[in-house]
Amino acid sequence: MKNKQAFTLIELLVVVLIIGILAAVALPQYQKAVEKSKASQALTLLKSVAQAYEAHHLASGEYATSFDELAVDIPWTGDTLFLSNAKDTRSNSDWSLQIQNNGGWVNFQMARLTGKYQGAGFVYIFETSSGAVQNEIVCFDWTSGANVLCDTNLPAGAYCEELLGGTVSVGASGRYYTLPN
C-alpha cells in the first residue's frame, strides 16, 4: 500500500485564514490608490479649466459664466450639482465641476458626488474680495453646509489631509488644504 500525502483540513483552513487576512489588509490600500487616481484625473481637468478661464478673462476682460465660453474640452455632460448656486455645471458619475461667480467670489469647485468622500474635492479661486488664496488649487472636505451635497460623517481632513497629504491652509477654518507639489 502506497503512503499518500495530502493536506489536512487544519492546514487548508490556516491557508484560507492567511489569505483572508492579507486581503483585509490589501483592500483598503487598493481603495486609497483608486481614489488617488480619481483625484489626479480631476485635478488635471481642473487645471485645464482654470488655464482656459484665465485665458478667457485676459482676452475678453470678462468672467465666463459658462463652460461653453472656454476653450477647453470637458468630457462630462451631466448637470448634477454639488453646490446649489452654481452658474454652470458639468458632471460625471463621480465628480461635479461648477463655476461659482457670486459677488466677489469667482472660482471653480470640483467635488466628489458619491462614495466615502462625498463632498470632498478641489477649488480654484480666481478672484476674491475676502483675501483667500487666489490662483491656486486647494483641497477641501466639506461635511456640512447649506445647499451642499456632502457626507456628514466624513471627518475633517479625511480626504485632503489623510488621503492626499495636504496641510491646513492659513485662515481657512480647517476646511481648505494646500496640496503637496
Side-chain angles (χ1 to χ4, degrees), residues 41-55 70-74 108 137:
Q41 291 172 345
L43 277 170
T44 300
L45 179 59
L46 185 58
K47 287 175 185 177
S48 297
V49 170
Q51 289 172 348
Y53 191 82
E54 288 187 26
L70 304 178
V72 65
D73 180 36
I74 301 173
F108 296 100
I137 294 175

Side-chain angles (χ1 to χ4, degrees), residues 48-162:
S48 297
V49 170
Q51 289 172 348
Y53 191 82
E54 288 187 26
H56 172 80
H57 184 258
L58 288 173
S60 69
E62 297 178 359
Y63 298 114
T65 57
S66 168
F67 290 113
D68 295 333
E69 298 175 52
L70 304 178
V72 65
D73 180 36
I74 301 173
W76 307 341
T77 58
D79 60 359
T80 303
L81 293 173
F82 161 67
L83 294 170
S84 62
N85 59 351
K87 298 294 181 189
D88 194 11
T89 301
R90 296 289 188 277
S91 65
N92 66 8
S93 60
D94 293 320
W95 294 93
S96 177
L97 172 63
Q98 298 180 204
I99 294 177
Q100 300 287 316
N101 187 341
N102 300 315
W105 277 91
V106 179
N107 62 56
F108 296 100
Q109 301 271 349
M110 181 172 292
R112 295 285 283 130
L113 292 173
T114 59
K116 178 180 178 182
Y117 299 108
Q118 182 182 25
F122 309 99
V123 62
Y124 179 87
I125 301 172
F126 184 66
E127 182 175 290
T128 178
S129 58
S130 70
V133 175
Q134 294 183 44
N135 301 329
E136 180 181 336
I137 294 175
V138 295
C139 188
F140 66 84
D141 53 1
W142 285 1
T143 57
S144 66
N147 306 318
V148 177
L149 177 65
C150 61
D151 180 356
T152 57
N153 295 316
L154 181 67
Y159 186 76
C160 301
E161 193 170 16
E162 294 172 21

Side-chain angles (χ1 to χ4, degrees), residues 8-19:
T8 66
L9 182 59
I10 297 295
E11 290 171 326
L12 289 173
L13 287 175
V14 168
V15 169
V16 169
L17 179 65
I18 291 171
I19 291 171

